[in-house]
């Protein structure tokens, strides 16, 4: 994995007008038209940025519980639809003020499965558990939200589906949709964007055959001879990414039993100095993986095992090959990266999925596409990445998180990697020792087959039922 000062340097590069291609994409449309008889919530909208052109859009919203029972706000998602100013335009979300607290409101951008003349992107507004609940008849109060282009160029609201220039006071607004626990209960999505992905009844039986790598991580220690024999390298060599002068520690990679399964534990530790900082990484020795399905069950952590919190930590599952030359077009990398305490210019927890075409390390230029979600992902998560000849798709816990374009498809095979490391020592400057754990339950790759998350679960269950802890019949590239 290359030095992952990537997102922060990507943003610095954007601010400096360094040429790059980047985008914010995400979930395919999950909304449709709701029946008034089944409404559980209504959404009211107003804007204080009424101009057709503006520095930023300002969709101010209220969500009201029109049902008969208490509604957890964490089950609600509100979607605002708009037309991007250009195909590669990137956007940033912000909350200016909210009765429920801006820290309890999330904003995630995505692309529509079926673009229209007035919508090809959307902004999903969600709520953390800290937002609490709504009693019947209650509403959230003001949510003064805004978004702008990442390069701060003027944006055009005139062709945005959800924009209402005359809405200067709150009123019900059906051009913003709302879901409760995944079901659309309010509003009308742009034409052609009814829920179609994932399908209502996705197949659960994996297709027959398929050359696969599966590992249940049933080892005794990082020095267990089976680790190397099964094609894994536990990193010990120096270098990036992360804190300069830190070491990569094989002894910090351990194996244990949890919940009836064997797990791999990657521990990153520090006492606030480069010399005391130990990163961890486990990767396949072979670079033989390309199209198909990649999956892992990973446990992210928001807090250290002990000691002060706040370090700029990165917890990952990714695939990658080597950059043969600056801006080489046969480079490829596909990342799940969780930052529990922010970093790269982000103030708090954020999950990135990023598809890389290429980059230039000096001067920094990046060609990638990414999806992001600003909320806590502490705990176990099922991560699935699929690559075919048309797109790259990322799933988290069975739901589509991001779809990235064919321009970012791999030209060469890659390795499979897990690592955990500190971006810098600026997040927590204490010299008190602390450590963080990232755990991995299993990893699966199926060559040239695109599996649904349900099919992944079925295939893993079949391996475990058969008592198969390891299999690798993926041919060398």
């Amino acid at each position: 994995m290359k030095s992952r000062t990537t997102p922060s340097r990507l943003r610095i590069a954007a601010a400096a007008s360094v040429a790059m291609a980047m985008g914010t994409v995400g979930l395919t449309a999950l909304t449709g038209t709701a029946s008034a008889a089944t409404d559980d919530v209504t959404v009211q909208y107003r804007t204080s940025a009424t101009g057709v052109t503006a520095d930023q859009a300002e969709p101010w919203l209220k969500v009201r519980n029109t049902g008969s029972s208490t509604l957890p706000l964490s089950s609600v998602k509100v979607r605002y639809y708009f037309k991007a100013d250009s195909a590669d335009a990137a956007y940033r979300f912000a909350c200016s003020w909210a009765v429920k607290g801006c820290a309890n409101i999330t904003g995630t951008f995505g692309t529509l499965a079926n673009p229209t003349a007035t919508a090809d992107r959307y902004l999903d507004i969600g709520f953390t558990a800290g937002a609490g609940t709504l009693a019947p008849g209650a509403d959230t109060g003001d949510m003064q939200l805004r978004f702008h282009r990442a390069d701060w160029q003027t944006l055009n609201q005139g062709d945005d589906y959800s924009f209402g220039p005359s809405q200067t006071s709150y009123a019900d607004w059906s051009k913003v949709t709302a879901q409760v626990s995944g079901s659309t209960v309010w509003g009308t999505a742009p034409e052609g964007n009814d829920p179609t992905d994932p399908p209502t009844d996705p197949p659960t039986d994996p297709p027959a055959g398929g050359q696969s790598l599966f590992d249940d991580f049933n080892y005794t220690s990082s020095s267990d001879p089976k680790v190397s024999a099964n094609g894994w390298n536990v990193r010990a060599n120096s270098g990036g990414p992360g804190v300069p002068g830190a070491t990569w520690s094989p002894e910090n990679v351990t194996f244990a039993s949890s919940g009836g399964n064997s797990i791999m534990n990657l521990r990153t530790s520090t006492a606030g100095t480069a010399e005391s900082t130990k990163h961890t990484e486990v990767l396949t020795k072979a670079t033989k993986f390309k199209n198909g399905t990649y999956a892992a069950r990973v446990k992210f952590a928001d807090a250290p095992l002990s000691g002060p919190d706040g370090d700029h930590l990165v917890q990952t599952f990714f695939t990658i090959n080597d950059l043969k030359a600056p801006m080489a077009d046969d480079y490829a990398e596909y990342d799940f990266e969780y930052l529990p305490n922010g970093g790269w210019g982000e103030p708090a927890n954020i999950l990135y999925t990023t598809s890389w075409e290429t980059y230039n390390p000096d001067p920094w230029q990046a060609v990638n596409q990414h999806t992001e979600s600003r909320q806590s992902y502490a705990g176990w998560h099922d991560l699935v990445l699929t690559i075919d000849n048309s797109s790259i798709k990322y799933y988290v816990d069975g739901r589509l998180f991001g779809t990235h374009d064919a321009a970012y498809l791999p030209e060469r095979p890659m390795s499979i990697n897990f690592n955990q490391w500190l971006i810098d020592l600026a997040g927590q400057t204490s010299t008190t020792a602390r450590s963080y754990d990232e755990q991995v339950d299993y990893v699966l790759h199926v060559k040239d087959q695109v599996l649904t998350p349900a099919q992944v679960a079925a295939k893993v269950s079949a391996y475990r039922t058969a008592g198969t802890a390891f299999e690798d019949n993926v041919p060398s590239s």
Side-chain angles (χ1 to χ4, degrees):
M1 189 180 194
K2 68 179 173 294
S3 175
R4 288 316 302 263
T5 52
T6 304
S8 63
R9 293 180 67 179
L10 185 152
R11 288 160 175 73
I12 293 168
S17 300
V18 175
M20 64 182 175
M22 63 179 287
T24 47
V25 299
L27 297 163
T28 48
L30 296 173
T31 53
T33 303
S35 165
T38 60
D39 284 350
D40 294 314
V41 301
T42 59
V43 179
Q44 294 191 325
Y45 160 84
R46 62 158 293 192
T47 182
S48 60
T50 58
V52 171
T53 59
D55 291 337
Q56 56 189 351
E58 297 184 17
W60 293 13
L61 303 172
K62 288 183 181 180
V63 177
R64 178 178 294 275
N65 179 6
T66 56
S68 58
S69 59
T70 299
L71 177 69
L73 277 171
S74 60
S75 69
V76 177
K77 184 163 288 185
V78 178
R79 182 167 291 184
Y80 181 96
Y81 303 88
F82 65 99
K83 181 78 171 179
D85 295 311
S86 65
D88 61 351
Y91 293 86
R92 296 289 181 265
F93 166 77
C95 172
S96 298
W97 185 81
V99 172
K100 291 292 184 179
C102 284
N104 296 316
I105 297 173
T106 64
T108 305
F109 293 99
T111 55
L112 287 177
N114 300 293
T116 70
T118 59
D120 57 10
R121 304 277 186 97
Y122 59 80
L123 170 63
D124 267 348
I125 303 301
F127 301 88
T128 70
T133 60
L134 288 181
D139 66 45
T140 59
D142 256 350
M143 294 188 291
Q144 298 181 9
L145 313 177
R146 55 190 172 90
F147 66 91
H148 58 85
R149 286 184 53 159
D151 57 9
W152 279 104
Q153 294 296 307
T154 299
L155 53 79
N156 175 27
Q157 301 187 95
D159 58 356
D160 290 353
Y161 177 85
S162 295
F163 175 57
S166 63
Q167 293 298 117
T168 56
S169 59
Y170 279 112
D172 290 356
W173 194 244
S174 63
K175 288 189 174 183
V176 173
T177 58
Q179 291 178 295
V180 175
S181 300
S183 297
T184 303
V185 297
W186 172 263
T188 304
E191 184 178 359
N193 288 283
D194 292 337
T196 56
D197 194 356
T200 303
D201 296 305
T204 56
D205 294 330
Q211 296 161 318
S212 304
L213 164 70
F214 172 74
D215 202 332
D216 216 6
F217 296 114
N218 190 7
Y219 304 108
T220 58
S221 69
S222 61
S223 58
D224 187 332
K226 290 194 301 180
V227 174
S228 180
N230 286 348
W232 294 102
N233 176 39
V234 182
R235 183 175 175 180
N237 60 296
S238 61
V243 175
T247 58
W248 294 83
S249 174
E251 63 270 19
N252 274 17
V253 177
T254 58
F255 301 88
S257 177
S258 176
N261 296 320
S262 53
I263 62 161
M264 175 172 66
N265 192 85
L266 286 76
R267 178 162 296 176
T268 292
S269 56
T270 188
T273 64
E275 295 76 17
S276 67
T277 302
K278 295 183 178 181
H279 299 150
T280 46
E281 181 166 24
V282 177
L283 64 154
T284 60
K285 293 185 281 187
T287 53
K288 61 179 183 178
F289 309 98
K290 193 181 176 189
N291 285 17
T293 300
Y294 300 80
R297 182 165 173 79
V298 178
K299 186 177 184 180
F300 297 129
D302 275 354
L305 299 175
S306 61
D309 195 4
D311 289 293
H312 291 157
L313 184 72
V314 185
Q315 300 178 311
T316 77
F317 166 45
F318 65 101
T319 70
I320 194 171
N321 60 30
D322 58 321
L323 183 74
K324 292 185 176 295
M327 303 302 284
D329 61 6
D330 63 350
Y331 175 75
E333 180 181 345
Y334 306 96
D335 303 328
F336 288 93
E337 293 177 309
Y338 181 53
L339 282 60
N341 294 313
W344 295 330
E346 292 291 334
N349 36 33
I350 184 169
L351 176 66
Y352 287 102
T353 60
T354 309
S355 300
W356 286 88
E357 170 62 16
T358 191
Y359 70 100
N360 183 6
D362 189 19
W364 181 251
Q365 293 176 270
V367 183
N368 67 26
Q369 196 170 18
H370 72 273
T371 303
E372 61 208 34
S373 179
R374 293 173 174 84
Q375 64 182 70
S376 172
Y377 281 87
W380 284 105
H381 296 283
D382 295 306
L383 309 179
V384 176
L385 160 68
T386 65
I387 304 173
D388 58 19
N389 290 321
S390 61
S391 66
I392 305 105
K393 292 187 177 183
Y394 297 86
Y395 296 83
V396 177
D397 296 331
R399 299 195 65 181
L400 189 62
F401 185 88
T403 300
H404 296 175
D405 300 337
Y408 303 91
L409 292 172
E411 287 85 7
R412 290 189 291 122
M414 302 167 287
S415 62
I416 297 175
N417 305 51
F418 299 90
N419 67 14
Q420 184 181 226
W421 47 280
L422 298 180
I423 299 170
D424 52 42
L425 297 173
Q428 173 55 259
T429 58
S430 170
T431 56
T432 300
R434 62 267 189 191
S435 59
Y436 299 82
D437 283 355
E438 174 187 357
Q439 297 181 346
V440 184
D441 184 16
Y442 70 83
V443 66
L444 172 71
H445 170 72
V446 182
K447 177 180 169 62
D448 295 332
Q449 289 186 357
V450 171
L451 274 59
T452 66
Q455 288 175 321
V456 167
K459 194 168 183 70
V460 172
S461 178
Y463 276 121
R464 288 176 166 168
T465 299
T468 302
F470 176 81
E471 176 181 88
D472 183 5
N473 52 37
V474 178
S476 298
S477 58

